Amino acid sequence: MRIRMKVTMSGTRNGEDWPPAGETVDLPTGEAQHLVASGIAKEVDGVPEVETATAPDTAEKRESRVRKAAAKKPDTK
């Protein structure tokens, strides 16, 4: 069962650190239900997480504007 941690827990589970708050983990159903019932985690439905795009870097925007401006200027040599 996949759950999303609501809190960051200290310690380890089977030698691995618990995921931080907001991250997901797959656990056996009984263990996951126990964490959900105690308010430490919430069940994640079967919908996969969506990766979102980010805005271009401002340096890229600036470079694009400079190239466009240079292309518009007539050569006066």
Side-chain angles (χ1 to χ4, degrees):
M1 178 177 185
R2 181 166 286 244
I3 59 171
R4 182 174 313 279
M5 301 300 292
K6 290 182 172 182
V7 299
T8 301
M9 293 179 27
S10 63
T12 60
R13 180 187 178 279
N14 294 340
E16 298 287 326
D17 288 335
W18 283 97
E23 296 292 318
T24 60
V25 62
D26 288 312
L27 296 174
T29 302
E31 187 175 353
Q33 288 174 339
H34 175 74
L35 293 174
V36 170
S38 65
I40 293 174
K42 66 179 181 177
E43 184 175 355
V44 176
D45 55 4
V47 178
E49 294 183 37
V50 177
E51 188 173 319
T52 58
T54 59
D57 183 74
T58 55
E60 291 173 1
K61 287 181 181 179
R62 186 172 37 254
E63 184 179 327
S64 176
R65 284 193 307 265
V66 169
R67 273 190 264 133
K68 285 179 184 177
K72 289 181 180 180
K73 287 185 178 181
D75 190 14
T76 58
K77 290 183 182 178

